[in-house]
């Protein structure tokens, strides 16, 4: 692909599962949780530059950056309407984390899915911020494809 825009997919399960649902961010949520927001990333991806894979699910905390900082780092690859970026000097997403959640806590302390892991530095370097799909930008698609869109009359 020429671009990583809309780097998302959905899985349809053959059987229902019992889970606690997480709210998918709206455009208003995306604006509310911007630059400086602490977010949680979760995944099964590599834990170091040697691409050592974990034996348990991992999570870390990052801070979101503003669109200008993301564009400075990633150039034309970064598209603010459909992407978010953030990082930390201690933790980062890496190979194998793609598609995993970028979560924030709302004011009622419930998890909110703000993004999904898309791409980052080839060396899985925590000093280089990673990029996430802005799920509010694909929320309508998620609702339509997932059969969650309101029925038209």
């Amino acid at each position: 692909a020429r671009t990583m825009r809309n780097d998302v997919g959905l899985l349809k399960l053959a059987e229902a599962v019992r889970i606690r649902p997480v709210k998918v961010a709206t455009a208003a949520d995306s604006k509310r949780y911007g630059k400086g927001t602490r977010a949680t990333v979760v995944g099964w991806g590599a834990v170091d530059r040697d691409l050592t894979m974990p034996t348990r699910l991992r999570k870390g905390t990052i801070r979101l950056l503003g669109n200008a900082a993301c564009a400075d780092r990633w150039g034309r690859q970064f598209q603010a309407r459909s992407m978010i970026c953030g990082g930390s000097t201690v933790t980062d997403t890496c190979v194998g984390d793609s598609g995993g959640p970028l979560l924030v806590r709302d004011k009622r302390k419930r998890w909110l899915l703000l993004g999904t892991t898309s791409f980052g530095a080839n060396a899985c370097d925590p000093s280089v911020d990673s990029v996430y799909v802005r799920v509010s930008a694909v929320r309508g698609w998620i609702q339509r494809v997932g059969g969650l869109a309101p029925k038209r009359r």
Side-chain angles (χ1 to χ4, degrees), residues 10-141:
L10 289 177
L11 295 175
K12 184 173 183 176
L13 303 177
E15 298 177 22
V17 293
R18 294 177 56 100
I19 59 169
R20 188 173 341 144
V22 173
K23 181 184 172 198
V24 175
T26 63
D29 292 324
S30 254
K31 287 179 184 170
R32 185 176 303 116
Y33 302 103
K35 179 181 176 181
T37 298
R38 287 171 43 111
T40 299
V41 291
V42 179
W44 289 97
V47 297
D48 57 35
R49 292 179 183 176
D50 294 328
L51 304 183
T52 305
M53 301 309 278
T55 57
R56 62 181 174 81
L57 186 63
R58 311 264 306 191
K59 73 176 185 174
T61 302
I62 65 167
R63 286 225 185 253
L64 302 182
L65 296 176
N67 291 335
C70 296
D72 284 348
R73 168 61 185 98
W74 291 101
R76 291 184 6 203
Q77 279 185 284
F78 181 78
Q79 299 178 13
R81 284 187 176 171
S82 61
M83 298 175 184
I84 305 166
C85 83
S88 139
T89 57
V90 187
T91 191
D92 187 25
T93 52
C94 194
V95 174
D97 286 322
S98 295
L102 171 71
L103 301 156
V104 294
R105 293 274 193 178
D106 69 12
K107 57 188 166 195
R108 293 167 72 187
K109 303 294 182 205
R110 294 177 301 190
W111 288 114
L112 173 70
L113 180 65
L114 197 62
T116 57
T117 303
S118 184
F119 65 93
N122 289 339
C124 303
D125 183 351
S127 69
V128 178
D129 304 304
S130 293
V131 179
Y132 305 84
V133 172
R134 185 182 300 273
V135 296
S136 63
V138 294
R139 182 182 167 97
W141 179 85

